Amino acid sequence: MSLLSPLGSGDVVTASLHSALDGLAVRQGVIADNIANVDTPGFRASSVQFEQNLVAAIRDGRAGGPVPLTVTPTDTPVGANDNNVDLRKETLAAMQTQFQYQMAGRAATDHLELVRTTLAVS
């Protein structure tokens, strides 16, 4: 058994956290794009969903592979310039996503430290 095997594809926790961080990074990019286009006529904001797919992958034992994410247009009403970016909504989503990313990153760090401690004791 390799010393790195706890961190490999067989480690559901690491794989799940990696997928969560990837999904949150994509979401942050989409939110940034939405905010950057707040004044662009005709621009339609999008959102990213991946949490349900991640939960299903964990439940079904598929957490080691890529988790599909969905980028969909938002249903925010369209404004005068035919643009539907709601700056308040996007700012709140950016802050929430940043907090979630920090929490997932901390969980990944803590998990890695637990694995290191376990290997040191072994």
Side-chain angles (χ1 to χ4, degrees):
M1 178 172 130
S2 167
L3 288 179
L4 296 179
S5 64
L7 303 176
S9 62
D11 182 4
V12 175
V13 174
T14 300
S16 300
L17 289 169
H18 186 269
S19 294
L21 289 166
D22 285 348
L24 291 166
V26 170
R27 178 176 289 151
Q28 194 70 7
V30 168
I31 292 168
D33 188 50
N34 291 344
I35 292 172
N37 285 286
V38 69
D39 292 323
T40 303
F43 182 81
R44 297 291 194 264
S46 296
S47 63
V48 176
Q49 292 82 34
F50 67 90
E51 288 90 340
Q52 290 177 334
N53 291 335
L54 179 56
V55 169
I58 293 167
R59 182 184 57 237
D60 299 341
R62 298 178 289 110
V67 173
L69 53 84
T70 306
V71 179
T72 57
T74 64
D75 59 1
T76 306
V78 176
N81 65 353
D82 203 30
N83 178 311
N84 76 336
V85 177
D86 180 340
L87 188 56
R88 291 176 298 181
K89 178 181 172 185
E90 297 299 331
T91 302
L92 181 62
M95 290 173 20
Q96 180 180 11
T97 302
Q98 180 180 3
F99 179 70
Q100 289 173 322
Y101 194 93
Q102 289 172 343
M103 295 300 293
R106 177 59 192 245
T109 300
D110 290 350
H111 179 67
L112 180 59
E113 190 58 37
L114 179 63
V115 169
R116 285 183 185 156
T117 300
T118 302
L119 290 174
V121 172
S122 299

